[in-house]
Amino acid sequence: MKCVKCNNDIQAGFSFCPNCGSPVDQTIKCPKCGATEIPKDSKFCPDCGTLLIDQDTFDKEIRKNEALENKKIKLMKKESQREHAQEEIEVAKAEKAKKVCINGHEYVDLGLPSGTLWATCNVGASRPEECGDKYAWGEVETKSEYTKSNSKWKNTPSFWMKLRGVVDSNNNLSSLYDVATCKWGLDWHMPTVDQFIELIENTKISSIVQNGKYVYRLVSKINGKYLILPSEMKRISETTSRNNACYWSSTKYDSFSSAYFLSGSFSIDSFGGTSLFFGYYIRPVSEK
């Protein structure tokens, strides 16, 4: 800015000329069109659009404003990312909250008439496709091998089992001998033969591969939810193998040495009895 009296350059923001002491005019005049009374901090003439400050100063201000705008955009983007991350955390929490558990073990409600709730994992497994641990019927600890000679109930007659409370009046294992109850708590127990039959009659069964494991997928005909039962490859002959899933029920068979079990054929006829000393998997159930 020039002093109107001595034409000395005056730094922006000065109220008086440092050379002659004349008061600085708070307005400027357009050098091109002659417009007056233009505020001194104006960058362009409001009448003709002429730049009223030098180009370098103007360019610096442009760059400064662009830098401020870019900084603002980065801050907004960062805040948006933070909010998005927080939303993902909240969604994950909500999904976790949707998982239904009893005593820390998840279950699926297939809408079965009895209200039976099926656990999503076998005893001893941490994922649905894992087989978990094997148990002999009516025994609550695993073994290195399962033979008739090391069976807890070898040569034990059925009447003695009822007399001593091993099974109840319906021939189902009592809680002291039910591995699901002993391992997971009183809210869980081994399925009865009737609960197995209800499961098969009310689901559509298919064999699939999940996380590299062969499993059976049982989809409810009632509400579309599904249950995964893992299986293992069982050698039938030197050249033949097949998927096999064997699960103990809690129900004793008529024979003193047998109990009902679910086999991989998933037919009602498969709920026959087999020797108590065999090592089979356990899929716990609970009720609403």
Side-chain angles (χ1 to χ4, degrees):
M1 181 182 295
K2 298 289 186 179
C3 177
V4 295
K5 185 175 182 180
C6 68
N7 204 37
N8 182 60
D9 289 327
I10 303 175
Q11 187 174 337
F14 283 16
S15 299
F16 297 90
C17 175
N19 184 52
C20 68
S22 299
V24 176
D25 191 358
Q26 298 302 310
T27 61
I28 56 178
K29 179 180 180 180
C30 177
K32 183 176 182 180
C33 70
T36 58
E37 302 299 322
I38 302 173
K40 67 175 184 178
D41 57 352
S42 299
K43 297 181 179 64
F44 295 91
C45 173
D47 289 350
C48 68
T50 299
L51 183 64
L52 300 176
I53 59 175
D54 64 272
Q55 189 66 45
D56 289 341
T57 301
F58 178 73
D59 291 341
K60 287 180 181 178
E61 288 196 15
I62 293 294
R63 288 193 294 270
K64 180 180 179 181
N65 291 335
E66 288 178 346
L68 290 173
E69 185 65 24
N70 289 336
K71 184 177 181 180
K72 182 179 179 181
I73 292 173
K74 288 181 180 179
L75 288 174
M76 292 176 63
K77 184 177 180 181
K78 187 175 181 180
E79 179 64 18
S80 177
Q81 291 174 340
R82 186 195 67 79
E83 291 178 353
H84 182 66
Q86 186 62 35
E87 287 178 0
E88 289 184 337
I89 293 173
E90 295 300 326
V91 169
K93 287 182 178 179
E95 289 298 321
K96 186 175 181 180
K98 289 180 182 178
K99 293 182 177 179
V100 282
C101 297
I102 297 176
N103 295 345
H105 299 283
E106 294 180 19
Y107 66 84
V108 58
D109 184 356
L110 299 171
L112 301 174
S114 68
T116 300
L117 306 173
W118 283 82
T120 58
C121 290
N122 290 350
V123 172
S126 58
R127 299 176 64 88
E129 65 270 14
E130 294 177 357
C131 289
D133 298 326
K134 289 182 176 180
Y135 294 87
W137 188 87
E139 299 185 28
V140 297
E141 299 298 335
T142 59
K143 301 176 182 180
S144 58
E145 59 179 354
Y146 297 82
T147 64
K148 186 175 182 179
S149 61
N150 68 12
S151 171
K152 183 180 181 68
W153 310 113
K154 180 177 61 175
N155 300 324
T156 303
S158 295
F159 77 87
W160 187 94
M161 287 190 173
K162 283 189 177 181
L163 183 66
R164 296 299 178 89
V166 177
V167 295
D168 59 21
S169 59
N170 295 317
N171 265 350
N172 295 319
L173 280 169
S174 67
S175 59
L176 290 176
Y177 301 94
D178 187 318
V179 63
T181 304
C182 293
K183 298 296 183 181
W184 287 17
L186 291 174
D187 291 317
W188 293 101
H189 61 85
M190 293 166 60
T192 65
V193 64
D194 290 336
Q195 287 174 316
F196 266 134
I197 292 174
E198 178 188 55
L199 175 68
I200 303 309
E201 289 181 339
N202 289 279
T203 57
K204 182 178 179 181
I205 304 168
S206 60
S207 179
I208 65 171
V209 176
Q210 179 166 299
N211 294 327
K213 304 285 187 180
Y214 286 99
V215 300
Y216 292 101
R217 189 171 186 259
L218 288 74
V219 181
S220 172
K221 298 176 183 177
I222 301 169
N223 62 12
K225 295 183 180 180
Y226 65 89
L227 181 72
I228 294 295
L229 289 179
S231 63
E232 61 182 350
M233 293 299 294
K234 184 177 181 180
R235 183 170 292 279
I236 306 302
S237 65
E238 291 185 1
T239 59
T240 306
S241 296
R242 71 179 183 186
N243 292 328
N244 191 55
C246 289
Y247 291 83
W248 278 123
S249 80
S250 67
T251 308
K252 184 126 180 3
Y253 197 55
D254 291 335
S255 169
F256 73 88
S257 61
S258 301
Y260 288 96
F261 76 107
L262 171 68
S263 75
S265 62
F266 289 99
S267 65
I268 302 302
D269 294 337
S270 70
F271 294 96
T274 191
S275 298
L276 304 180
F277 66 84
F278 284 126
Y280 289 160
Y281 302 118
I282 308 295
R283 177 57 64 92
V285 296
S286 187
E287 284 79 27
K288 292 181 180 180

